[in-house]
Amino acid sequence: MTTAEVTTTGATDESKNTTETHEAAPHDQPPQGPHGYSKQKDQHLKRLRRIEGQIRGLQRMVEEDVYCIDILTQVSAGTKALQSFALQLLEEHLRHCVATAANSGSADGTAHAGQELDEKVAEATAAIARLLRT
């Protein structure tokens, strides 16, 4: 299984950079070609920029000593926005990547094709489990 490193940089002088290691989905090689989100890539990037703005707004709220509950309300809004984005991405993965594996499996009829479908379903199941834990 491969791992991916994520570096988090704090917003104030007091905070430190940290590196977290997360297990990535098992792949013999990274998937190539158009992904489920490719057709709406520009919309997704626009949506992520909007979410990024919400998160930067949280930072400003803390810097300006805004009331705790008001900050928590905005944290909730940012969390919901990310969850909504994740669900959209998951739906596109199921409709494109998993469906493609299923269609190639039914057309091919080989054990390899069935294995690919099983892997795609396992990936989606793991992604759903991660979403439910948050």
Side-chain angles (χ1 to χ4, degrees):
M1 191 168 290
T2 61
T3 58
E5 288 190 1
V6 177
T7 302
T8 307
T9 305
T12 64
D13 294 335
E14 302 163 348
S15 58
K16 298 178 182 177
N17 293 343
T18 59
T19 301
E20 301 172 10
T21 303
H22 300 279
E23 290 186 5
H27 293 291
D28 294 334
Q29 57 188 356
Q32 300 295 319
H35 301 290
Y37 61 83
S38 295
K39 291 180 182 177
Q40 296 183 7
K41 188 173 182 177
D42 290 339
Q43 290 172 308
H44 288 319
L45 290 171
K46 182 178 178 181
R47 188 173 188 182
L48 287 169
R49 284 187 205 99
R50 194 168 43 247
I51 293 169
E52 179 184 21
Q54 285 180 292
I55 303 308
R56 289 185 192 279
L58 285 169
Q59 181 180 354
R60 279 192 303 277
M61 291 175 81
V62 171
E63 289 171 348
E64 295 170 1
D65 292 322
V66 173
Y67 184 57
C68 304
I69 297 300
D70 294 338
I71 296 172
L72 289 170
T73 299
Q74 292 306 310
V75 167
S76 178
T79 300
K80 296 270 191 244
L82 280 171
Q83 288 173 338
S84 177
F85 173 75
L87 287 174
Q88 178 67 39
L89 202 60
L90 178 62
E91 180 181 354
E92 291 168 358
H93 174 71
L94 293 172
R95 290 184 185 279
H96 179 268
C97 302
V98 176
T100 299
N103 289 336
S104 73
S106 62
D108 190 352
T110 65
H112 174 71
Q115 181 182 356
E116 181 183 3
L117 176 59
D118 289 344
E119 289 172 3
K120 294 294 182 188
V121 170
E123 284 177 342
T125 302
I128 293 166
R130 286 190 301 272
L131 286 172
L132 291 175
R133 279 185 247 145
T134 59

